[in-house]
């Protein structure tokens, strides 16, 4: 069962984050840990009941109208057994809001597999240009796509989601565009 991470347990999660996400798609250890002070941000974990190790985690932002799933990963030794789908279903049941998340462009086999996983779990790929702002100084922006739970969104809805993510999650001006 998913449980909210206690701040003192952060070191159990960050190595999985480092293993699962490229450097431009995650913050530094200090920046990521500091987010735990933000009331809208939380990390949920699924632990092994026998030895209390983390089998998977979800770092998310519970915003006014939706939940932004910023990072979601299953520990390497626990992958490909259906655990991710169970965690995703539990989080959606627990939080009772529409979810959105960012995915890499479907240009590699792994990125296409990741998108297919989310599609099997009720998410829709919205084919609007989107750039994730740099997560830390010296990091690059990343071209991604936004997926939403339940249904695809209109261009107008996408722009509202993008503005919300830019302002609340990334601290960027809402008027920033991806036309570069």
């Amino acid at each position: 069962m998913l449980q909210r991470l206690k701040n003192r347990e952060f070191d159990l999660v960050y190595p999985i984050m480092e293993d699962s996400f490229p450097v431009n798609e995650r913050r530094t250890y200090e920046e990521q840990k500091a987010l735990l002070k933000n009331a809208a941000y939380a990390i949920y974990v699924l632990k092994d009941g026998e030895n209390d190790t983390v089998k998977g985690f979800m770092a998310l932002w519970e915003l006014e109208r939706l939940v932004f799933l910023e990072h979601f990963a299953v520990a390497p030794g626990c992958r490909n057994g259906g655990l991710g789908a169970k965690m995703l279903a539990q989080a959606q049941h627990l939080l009772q809001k529409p979810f959105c998340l960012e995915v890499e462009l479907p240009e590699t086999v792994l990125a296409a597999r990741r998108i297919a996983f989310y599609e099997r779990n009720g998410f829709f790929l919205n084919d609007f240009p989107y750039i994730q702002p740099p997560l830390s100084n010296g990091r690059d922006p990343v071209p991604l796509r936004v997926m939403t739970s339940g249904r695809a969104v209109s261009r107008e809805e996408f722009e509202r989601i993008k503005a919300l993510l830019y302002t609340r999650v990334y601290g960027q001006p809402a008027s920033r565009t991806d036309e570069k």
Side-chain angles (χ1 to χ4, degrees):
M1 175 129 183
L2 283 178
Q3 54 188 282
R4 193 170 178 139
L5 179 83
K6 295 173 183 71
N7 291 5
R8 70 180 187 282
E9 298 175 314
F10 180 73
D11 288 350
L12 300 174
V13 168
Y14 197 74
I16 301 170
M17 189 179 289
E18 284 183 306
D19 182 66
S20 303
F21 295 92
V23 69
N24 284 329
E25 293 181 28
R26 59 182 155 82
R27 294 173 183 81
T28 66
Y29 172 90
E30 294 79 15
E31 292 168 328
Q32 202 69 48
K33 189 171 185 178
L35 285 179
L36 294 170
K37 296 175 184 169
N38 187 317
Y41 181 82
I43 297 176
Y44 287 85
V45 294
L46 181 67
K47 291 184 178 179
D48 184 317
E50 295 177 18
N51 59 22
D52 220 30
T53 58
V54 173
K55 296 170 86 171
F57 80 92
M58 305 176 112
L60 52 84
W61 295 79
E62 191 171 355
L63 304 171
E64 295 80 19
R65 294 186 179 103
L66 61 85
V67 173
F68 171 55
L69 182 54
E70 184 174 56
H71 293 105
F72 174 29
V74 173
C78 301
R79 293 180 182 155
N80 300 317
L83 197 59
K86 290 176 188 168
M87 290 176 65
L88 195 53
Q90 282 182 19
Q92 290 177 297
H93 178 75
L94 179 69
L95 298 173
Q96 295 291 308
K97 289 183 182 181
F99 272 56
C100 75
L101 54 93
E102 301 163 335
V103 291
E104 294 169 295
L105 301 176
E107 297 172 343
T108 67
V109 171
L110 186 58
R113 283 185 61 207
R114 193 171 291 121
I115 290 167
F117 164 79
Y118 286 114
E119 289 174 335
R120 285 191 308 275
N121 286 279
F123 282 76
F124 291 81
L125 184 65
N126 297 284
D127 197 28
F128 302 115
Y130 177 83
I131 302 288
Q132 178 192 62
L135 291 179
S136 296
N137 286 334
R139 305 248 170 111
D140 295 324
V142 182
L144 300 171
R145 289 294 181 264
V146 171
M147 295 188 79
T148 48
S149 63
R151 65 179 179 83
V153 295
S154 68
R155 177 68 177 201
E156 183 179 305
E157 291 169 307
F158 168 78
E159 291 298 333
R160 284 197 301 269
I161 290 170
K162 183 174 93 171
L164 182 65
L165 297 181
Y166 274 29
T167 57
R168 293 289 305 279
V169 173
Y170 301 117
Q172 299 286 317
S175 61
R176 178 186 163 128
T177 65
D178 297 328
E179 319 273 325
K180 290 187 177 180

